[in-house]
Each structure stands twice: as structure tokens, then as C-alpha cells.
Amino acid sequence: MRFADESSANVKRLIDAYIGRAGLNAPPAEDDPAEVIAPRLAESTDPLNRIGDERHKRR
């Protein structure tokens, strides 16, 4: 996932650089709703999931 995010950001920088070098009068970039980061899920209230979480914390 991180690779895709970094690649997307790099392409956007390249496009912005091209627009600047070419002296194009382009409108400002708009945020893409498909690239919004999903919110983190709340911690589980399931006791079995919490037991597994506690085991990982001890390591």
C-alpha cells in the first residue's frame, strides 16, 4: 500500500513540475476522494481478540 501511495505522490510531483516548466496556466490540483485514507477501526471489544492483543504486547 505504501508503494502505491509513494508512486502516486511521485507522479503528482512530476506533473506539477512539468506544468511549472512548461509555464502552463493550470487550475490547482483537486483532492481525489478515492485517495482518502480509511479511518482506523476501533479496538475490538471481543475478549478473544483482546487476549491475542495482550500476547503480542508482551513480546
Side-chain angles (χ1 to χ4, degrees), residues 2-57:
R2 182 173 38 180
F3 175 76
D5 291 342
E6 290 171 358
S7 295
S8 175
N10 189 40
V11 168
K12 289 175 185 179
R13 281 191 296 274
L14 291 171
I15 292 169
D16 288 342
Y18 173 78
I19 290 170
R21 281 192 317 273
L24 300 175
N25 185 15
E30 296 178 8
D31 291 334
D32 183 349
E35 292 183 350
V36 174
I37 297 173
R40 285 187 70 168
L41 299 176
E43 288 188 30
S44 175
T45 57
D46 182 348
L48 293 178
N49 284 341
R50 284 188 276 157
I51 290 170
D53 292 343
E54 291 301 318
R55 267 191 263 157
H56 289 287
K57 288 179 185 176

